[in-house]
Amino acid sequence: MKSILDYETVALLDEQDAIEIIDQTKLPGTTQLILLKTGEEIWNAIYLLQVRGAPAIGVTAGFGIYLLMKHSTAADYDVFMKEFHEKKDYLNSSRPTAVNLSWALNRMERKVEQAADHFDLTEIIAIMKKESETIKAEDIDVCRRIGENGLALVKPGDGILTHCNAGQLATCKYGTATAPIYLGHERGYHFHVFCDETRPLLQGARLTAYELQSAGVDTTLICDNMSASVMKQGLVNAVFVGCDRVAANGDTANKIGTSVVATVAARYHVPFYICAPTSTIDMNTKTGDDIHIEQRKPEEVTEMWYKERMAPEGVKVYNPAFDVTDHELISGIVTEFGVLRAPFDKSIREMFDRYKH
Ligand code: MRU
């Protein structure tokens, strides 16, 4: 039988002028593939978390801007760019925290700009298609490399805790935080993985526990308030989580609750690793204080997933989608180029100087 891991998280169906995604709001109960064709459909799918996870959002944005420009009839470069910027800004407004969204759109823009001196519509569209496909292919390669680098930090039989879903469903394959787990699993490491359920949207329960269990990984679901309990018992040898934006000093935004896990891990001397493709490291954001944290609807806390509302009518609700883990709590940032250690401002800068120009 087909497993959830046999589906593509995000696929370009070029002949149909569509992006195909798994509607992640329906998992794990229903695996429904949906097609996104218009700007509004793409925007909504990102906003509503039908497609989510920083790298998957980036890939969707790349395909999205390509499809939205594919049938442009612009007569010259300036007209084309005006249209491009309108669509880019629109897609970019769908979610604020994951930098991969603007990263992918900026990358598409840089490619288009290269054609400024010799405007040829057919050529520009072909370049955009190729670049969007490259973003996806690179995501798979980068995740695998993060997996190899992360795997070197743990040993067979280890207990690993993860928060939210930085899994295959958040990327195009392997995931980031789950990549060491999948590679270790292939190699007979027999990890014991604890998945935080991740209130309020339950990405850990609905997505991570589902995909890891489907892969045959030994998976235990815990509520978010249980991480201290399992760490105190010595059941966790390492924490791997993903990220939505890493600032230049190493402060890291990830799903709400991540900084709680990091604080607990520090208390029990469990190494806490951020798995970060360099596309998620934002050198233009100096510290975590400069990261825009998305606020979401109160109903996600008060009633969503419950059979009936579980909070008094009218109660005030605070519902930030992400929090920032201070760099002092991070043992290492696992990138495709290796594991960065403190001082992170220095190690991140050196990595960018060396590998990214
Ligand atoms: O709100 P979500 O589900 O998009 O949040 C996702 C996360 O916080 C992930 O950990 C992060 O995007 C990394 S995905 C490899």
Side-chain angles (χ1 to χ4, degrees), residues 169-180:
L169 288 163
T171 66
C172 293
K173 205 171 167 59
Y174 306 113
T176 58
T178 55

Side-chain angles (χ1 to χ4, degrees), residues 8 16 21 25 52 61 63 71 74 87 122 157 202 209 213-215 223 237 244 262 319 338 351:
E8 292 204 64
Q16 296 181 53
I21 59 163
T25 61
R52 32 67 52 208
F63 285 151
H71 298 294
K87 310 224 184 276
T122 318
L202 304 179
Q213 192 187 46
S214 304
C223 299
N237 302 93
D244 286 81
N319 186 18
M351 183 194 61

Side-chain angles (χ1 to χ4, degrees), residues 218-252:
D218 177 65
T219 306
T220 303
L221 177 64
I222 58 172
C223 299
D224 295 331
N225 51 7
M226 297 173 187
S227 59
S229 169
V230 290
M231 287 197 218
K232 190 170 182 175
Q233 291 174 64
L235 299 175
V236 179
N237 302 93
V239 175
F240 286 118
V241 295
C243 51
D244 286 81
R245 192 181 295 243
V246 181
N249 72 340
D251 289 350
T252 295

